[in-house]
Amino acid sequence: MTNNIDPCTLVLFGASGNLARVKLYPGLFRLDLLGRLPADLKILAVGRQVVDLDAWRADIKSMLDAKFKKGYDPQVFERFIARNFYHANPPTDPDAFNKLKATLSDTQTFPQNLAYFLSVRPVDFAPVVESLANVGLTQEDKYWRRVVIEKPFGTDLPSAKALQAAITKHLKESQIYRIDHYLGKSALQNILLQRFTNTVLEPIWNNQYIDHVQITNTEMLGVGDRTQFYDSTGALRDMLQSHILQTLALTAMELPKDLSPEGVRDAKIKVLEQIRPIPVNELEKHAFRAQYSAGEINGEKVPGYLEELGNPDSVVETYAALKLFIDNPRWQGVPFYIRTAKRLHEADTRISIRFKKAPLQINDQDQNWLIIGIQPRECIKLEIQSKIPGLDVQTRTIQLDAANRLDSDDSVDAYEALLLNLMQGDNSNYLHISEAEAQWRLVDPVVKAWAEDKRPVHQYPAGSRDPEASKVIFEHQDQFWRYSIALGGDKYSH
Ligand SMILES: NC(=O)c1ccc[n+]([C@@H]2O[C@H](COP(=O)([O-])OP(=O)(O)OC[C@H]3O[C@@H](n4cnc5c(N)ncnc54)[C@H](OP(=O)(O)O)[C@@H]3O)[C@@H](O)[C@H]2O)c1
């Protein structure tokens, strides 16, 4: 099955980089193993170094060996490796892109539909597009030309607009594929389907029944060896601005007019633009940040963020939580708490929905929760009250817990899905510029206010739960951070 993909050449800039090694080449190879690549797909790596083809193919083999430790089908490997070529593009050569054009003009080798994947530094996105355009390599006539822009698309609204202005000198919106790799995850794509293919969910998915929504991404890992990158980015920009706001959009959007890329993206844009701006004059009620200090993870002592960074004055957050409201009839008055953290006590990404108080209150019962697990476990859980059998009238919480992923299901990496979508010309799982802009517009004032506030940042010990002080953003006293712990355990932060 090849999904009606046109013959095409994938031109991969930054092919020797981390993303290409860990995700893109293994992902393309997996697609080949699954029989999803068209017979005439070619992959042209473009890099600054001069590397001969045999050495390059040996390097690709080392990427696959590192990923597929149990081995792989040698016949598919032969087919895959024969698709691969290398073109040196030294930055000092003023004629480099003309030479790339000459390489690609070998129509016997390279199909002329061209998808450029810019897995390069963000500062290079616009210059690469311009250089391609200058030699006519972005022009669509008989053949399509598509450009994938990796994350991040800008570092704030002005830089996103500047990047957009630079690339739209040469590209139409339909040619631009902006990555948010969360959108390639099956668990994210399932939110829309699970919401709207089930009659029981839609009638209660609104402010009449829902008390509040939490969208959470927590990790036990620290920043590792990415301290410099992290300190220039922070948790808010790294996770909330992108992946978590996209998860919120899928959770809160209206039913799209259809499942076409335009239909889905229009509905997401609409809800993202309906999020109320965060009031910076009372930021402390809407946004909370913190940094992990030294602590213990899985019984092992780990250093704090400032020690790892070697800069005691940094105010960059490793924990960020926001309270958001969506100004539309469905969600008026319902807080959405979104948060991300490194070095918390558990690693989990999920949507937790708490329903309003039931009409009958028997004992000090909790309200109903619906939880959609994204990772590590893809699941849907509903917590409801049930009578404890016996002589007394008492209830307890029971849990309906279903896996959204079965052991026998295909496990497809997000990049595999996105690469396939790219070749198919389906950009529904890529960001529209209006989404990227709405997301920056929302977080920019918080990023700016936090950067200007040089007071020491609240600390939480590595391996702990949410800092107590983070509760300041809750609308009501009975709200609390929801954890993933199974029923019967202590699932609350208090
Ligand atoms: N790695 C991830 O998991 C990840 C996650 C999210 C987003 N991204 C995004 O994906 C893109 C690639 O990330 P990456 O981690 O693969 O980056 P990387 O390993 O640092 O570099 C990618 C490629 O860029 C080229 N490059 C590096 N330094 C350069 C320099 N000083 N001047 C010119 N070219 C240079 C190199 O290609 P050649 O030497 O072959 O020319 C390198 O292979 C970035 O935009 C990043 O933000 C990556």
Side-chain angles (χ1 to χ4, degrees):
M1 187 154 97
T2 55
N3 313 290
N4 301 324
I5 298 172
D6 299 322
C8 59
T9 302
L10 185 61
V11 184
L12 190 38
F13 287 84
S16 64
N18 177 267
L19 183 71
R21 304 189 82 83
V22 175
K23 293 286 181 186
L24 303 181
Y25 280 100
L28 287 162
F29 181 57
R30 273 257 308 162
L31 289 172
D32 213 354
L33 285 169
L34 295 169
R36 295 294 189 121
L37 295 184
D40 34 16
L41 172 86
K42 296 289 163 46
I43 305 165
L44 179 63
V46 179
R48 289 171 298 170
Q49 315 301 324
V50 176
V51 182
D52 76 48
L53 184 57
D54 286 343
W56 177 241
R57 288 180 171 175
D59 200 7
I60 294 176
K61 183 171 184 310
S62 72
M63 300 177 201
L64 303 183
D65 290 345
K67 191 78 176 187
F68 302 95
K69 295 226 161 59
K70 289 187 187 151
Y72 40 75
D73 181 335
Q75 274 182 336
V76 179
F77 173 74
E78 288 309 321
R79 181 172 77 204
F80 182 75
I81 213 69
R83 297 175 185 278
N84 279 280
F85 298 86
Y86 186 89
H87 177 89
N89 207 24
T92 48
D93 180 356
D95 212 24
F97 281 79
N98 270 318
K99 290 178 184 160
L100 173 62
K101 186 178 183 178
T103 298
L104 285 167
S105 68
D106 170 6
T107 54
Q108 292 300 308
T109 308
F110 297 110
Q112 295 299 295
N113 292 305
L114 302 175
Y116 306 102
F117 198 119
L118 308 193
S119 183
V120 291
R121 300 172 309 166
V123 288
D124 294 326
F125 295 153
V128 173
V129 170
E130 182 165 23
S131 302
L132 288 169
N134 286 345
V135 297
L137 279 174
T138 55
Q139 212 168 323
E140 291 190 314
D141 36 55
K142 234 165 103 189
Y143 300 102
W144 52 253
R145 304 285 149 92
R146 297 171 189 153
V147 180
V148 178
I149 309 278
E150 252 298 336
K151 174 186 179 254
F153 194 88
T155 52
D156 55 15
L157 185 59
S159 58
K161 280 182 184 281
L163 175 56
Q164 172 71 359
I167 64 177
T168 50
K169 277 191 211 148
H170 311 293
L171 302 169
K172 299 185 293 260
E173 179 65 25
S174 60
Q175 291 178 276
I176 307 170
Y177 288 64
R178 298 175 196 80
I179 293 241
D180 179 330
H181 80 270
Y182 259 47
L183 295 178
K185 288 180 187 286
S186 174
L188 263 275
Q189 294 162 10
N190 188 35
I191 299 170
L192 170 67
L193 296 185
Q194 206 147 41
R195 278 187 57 195
F196 293 114
T197 58
N198 291 294
T199 313
V200 293
L201 293 181
E202 176 60 7
I204 55 168
W205 212 261
N206 54 51
N207 58 3
Q208 203 184 332
Y209 295 99
I210 291 178
D211 173 73
H212 73 272
V213 179
Q214 295 183 21
I215 300 178
T216 307
N217 161 266
T218 59
E219 295 174 40
M220 294 170 82
L221 293 173
V223 295
D225 53 12
R226 294 163 76 226
T227 46
Q228 293 311 321
F229 159 79
Y230 202 83
D231 207 57
S232 65
T233 307
L236 177 53
R237 282 197 282 196
D238 191 35
M239 288 300 299
L240 292 192
Q241 184 275 342
S242 49
H243 310 318
I244 303 302
L245 281 179
Q246 279 296 311
T247 310
L248 181 148
L250 290 161
T251 307
M253 69 197 269
E254 296 299 321
L255 176 67
K257 72 175 184 337
D258 53 39
L259 287 183
S260 65
E262 300 72 40
V264 175
R265 297 206 303 191
D266 283 356
K268 278 199 291 156
I269 292 166
K270 195 163 175 203
V271 76
L272 284 168
E273 290 180 345
Q274 286 169 333
I275 301 175
R276 192 184 304 163
I278 299 164
V280 273
N281 55 345
E282 45 178 36
L283 195 60
E284 61 292 347
K285 288 192 201 156
H286 294 261
F288 180 85
R289 68 171 164 175
Q291 293 169 332
Y292 61 81
S293 55
E296 258 188 38
I297 296 277
N298 292 332
E300 251 183 57
K301 289 201 184 324
V302 294
Y305 175 65
L306 296 178
E307 294 160 65
E308 287 174 319
L309 183 65
N311 172 11
D313 300 324
S314 171
V315 292
V316 170
E317 74 288 352
T318 60
Y319 177 108
L322 298 180
K323 172 171 61 189
L324 303 173
F325 288 97
I326 301 172
D327 285 326
N328 66 19
R330 185 193 286 266
W331 295 116
Q332 204 66 50
V334 177
F336 281 72
Y337 301 112
I338 64 174
R339 80 195 202 275
T340 185
K342 291 201 172 287
R343 289 274 193 240
L344 227 60
H345 71 289
E346 66 174 352
D348 205 76
T349 304
R350 68 190 167 276
I351 303 159
S352 310
I353 298 173
R354 192 195 197 199
F355 289 88
K356 292 193 166 166
K357 266 204 159 82
L360 186 59
Q361 296 289 312
I362 301 294
N363 30 300
D364 186 21
Q365 73 203 40
D366 193 16
Q367 289 148 234
N368 299 123
W369 284 91
L370 180 76
I371 296 184
I372 299 177
I374 309 283
Q375 63 190 34
R377 192 162 164 250
E378 294 174 45
C379 60
I380 183 162
K381 296 184 198 182
L382 177 65
E383 287 178 6
I384 58 174
Q385 295 304 308
S386 176
K387 182 181 180 302
I388 302 174
L391 298 176
D392 300 317
V393 178
Q394 271 192 327
T395 61
R396 64 184 166 202
T397 305
I398 58 167
Q399 202 173 60
L400 313 179
D401 182 343
N404 276 330
R405 171 179 295 284
L406 307 180
D407 288 347
S408 55
D409 288 334
D410 270 349
S411 160
V412 176
D413 182 76
Y415 272 97
E416 292 165 28
L418 292 173
L419 284 162
L420 196 63
N421 289 163
L422 166 70
M423 292 181 262
Q424 291 165 324
D426 176 352
N427 57 9
S428 46
N429 292 321
Y430 286 85
L431 292 182
H432 188 275
I433 182 60
S434 303
E435 294 176 87
E437 288 191 3
Q439 292 170 193
W440 283 125
R441 196 172 295 115
L442 187 71
V443 304
D444 270 2
V446 184
V447 173
K448 187 163 173 285
W450 280 356
E452 285 168 359
D453 182 351
K454 301 292 184 199
R455 288 174 296 175
V457 172
H458 191 95
Q459 304 284 304
Y460 59 98
S464 66
R465 297 184 169 203
D466 296 72
E468 188 67 20
S470 64
K471 293 179 187 168
V472 66
I473 69 169
F474 288 134
E475 276 293 281
H476 298 291
Q477 282 204 328
D478 75 341
Q479 293 173 343
F480 50 86
W481 291 124
R482 173 65 210 233
Y483 298 126
S484 67
I485 291 169
L487 204 62
D490 169 16
K491 61 180 181 260
Y492 309 136
S493 71
H494 57 205

